[in-house]
Amino acid sequence: MSSLEGKVIIITGASAGIGESIAVLLARYKPKLVLAARGTTGLEFTRKQCQDAGLAANSILTLQCDVSKDDNLENLVQTTIQTFGSIYGLVNNAGYGVAGNIEQTNMKDYDGIMRVNMRAPFYLSKLCIPHLKTSKGCVINVSSIVSKTGIADLAAYSLSKAALDHFTHLLAAETGPSGVRVNSVNPGYIRTLAFQKAGLSEKQIVGIEAGPLDRVGETEDVAKLVKFLLSDESSYITGETICVDGGRANPVFS
Ligand SMILES: NC(=O)c1ccc[n+]([C@@H]2O[C@H](COP(=O)([O-])OP(=O)(O)OC[C@H]3O[C@@H](n4cnc5c(N)ncnc54)[C@H](O)[C@@H]3O)[C@@H](O)[C@H]2O)c1
């Protein structure tokens, strides 16, 4: 039996990309999944894939949730408790960036990025902490290697992910004595629509300097690490920010 069987796990940004992949991989281990995102079409597609992977329909809750809105986050936690009665895992995955260095970044974009990438994980984690303490659960923050390396032309995004890593450290220290583990996964270049949204072509994606392993990452590469960090197999790991990047952030490589 999997250590995740029957455990209630919330995933934000579950309608696409890495969040979708995390949901579909976890579905194999029979948890109860709460899939949150802004768009219902993508959410329903993720739900279908989870069911195809063997998860019962009544073990999946899909919820429309814009993580930039406090009342949406409050509703997410309340509805999860009303439906499933507990929370074991929170995967703070929703996030985005806008190209621009410090001079080019307008403050509306700055505020939007900070709100989704940092404020939302902070508030949602805060709302979940009482339930996570009861379940001895876990928080996983989906950060990025740019938290460590920075990208000058993704200034606000880089800052938001650096702050998110420090949030992982702080929350792990605060909640560890209550049996709650908090870790961050820091992807490198992962093939998702995020590239297209940032205006990159398939040719450019393949051409990206991929790191010592010389390939762009796939969403499943990240999902496998998230599954490990949620499971009992990682029960002595907390406060870590772990790169899944084919070695891209290795200072020897760069
Ligand atoms: N793709 C990469 O190369 C890469 C690298 C490092 C980190 N990441 C991080 O991985 C996470 C997932 O990104 P992805 O590559 O799957 O991108 P994606 O654009 O495919 O998916 C992002 C998800 O977040 C959701 N989202 C964005 N704003 C939201 C909001 N306000 N409320 C609710 N949901 C919202 C989107 O709807 C989507 O479901 C992000 O935090 C991103 O920063 C991605």
Side-chain angles (χ1 to χ4, degrees):
M1 179 176 147
S2 142
S3 69
L4 295 179
E5 190 165 335
K7 302 238 174 102
V8 180
I9 300 170
I10 297 174
I11 306 167
T12 66
S15 61
I18 292 171
E20 171 187 357
S21 206
I22 293 168
V24 176
L25 179 75
L26 290 179
R28 291 192 222 154
Y29 300 90
K30 306 280 186 287
K32 295 190 189 303
L33 288 181
V34 182
L35 309 176
R38 288 167 303 175
T40 49
T41 312
L43 269 182
E44 285 313 311
F45 184 56
T46 304
R47 169 200 278 279
K48 183 180 178 312
Q49 291 177 82
C50 289
Q51 287 181 233
D52 291 347
L55 194 59
N58 63 4
S59 291
I60 307 168
L61 172 67
T62 53
L63 261 184
Q64 240 183 318
C65 172
D66 181 338
V67 299
S68 70
K69 297 187 173 141
D70 286 357
D71 60 350
N72 282 212
L73 298 177
E74 288 153 9
N75 179 56
L76 173 58
V77 174
Q78 277 162 16
T79 310
T80 299
I81 293 299
Q82 278 161 12
T83 309
F84 291 134
S86 65
I87 300 172
Y88 168 79
L90 168 62
V91 183
N92 285 310
N93 166 74
Y96 76 103
V98 177
N101 63 20
I102 293 167
E103 279 187 284
Q104 293 158 346
T105 299
N106 71 57
M107 295 318 288
K108 191 163 175 263
D109 282 339
Y110 177 92
D111 288 342
I113 290 165
M114 286 297 174
R115 197 163 180 100
V116 168
N117 295 5
M118 182 59 250
R119 191 180 190 281
F122 187 101
Y123 188 41
L124 188 53
S125 301
K126 201 170 141 59
L127 292 168
C128 288
I129 285 171
H131 306 290
L132 296 171
K133 282 182 175 172
T134 303
S135 64
K136 310 278 180 225
C138 307
V139 177
I140 312 291
N141 294 315
V142 180
S143 179
S144 166
I145 59 167
V146 305
S147 69
K148 300 168 189 290
T149 60
I151 293 184
D153 288 333
L154 273 175
Y157 179 77
S158 298
L159 282 169
S160 72
K161 295 297 190 181
L164 186 62
D165 281 5
H166 206 44
F167 174 62
T168 294
H169 299 142
L170 288 164
L171 189 62
E174 184 173 322
T175 59
S178 304
V180 177
R181 295 187 301 110
V182 184
N183 290 291
S184 160
V185 298
N186 296 55
Y189 296 111
I190 306 297
R191 193 192 310 273
T192 69
L193 284 180
F195 283 107
Q196 282 87 337
K197 288 175 196 165
L200 293 175
S201 67
E202 182 69 18
K203 198 171 160 209
Q204 284 172 305
I205 294 168
V206 174
I208 282 171
E209 201 176 14
L213 294 184
D214 199 25
R215 70 170 173 89
V216 172
E218 304 297 340
T219 54
E220 292 75 19
D221 292 316
V222 183
K224 285 182 214 163
L225 179 57
V226 171
K227 186 258 161 186
F228 170 71
L229 290 172
L230 284 166
S231 75
D232 285 354
E233 288 161 62
S234 61
S235 60
Y236 199 49
I237 300 176
T238 195
E240 293 296 335
T241 59
I242 303 173
C243 292
V244 49
D245 67 341
R248 180 70 176 74
N250 176 348
V252 176
F253 175 74
S254 56

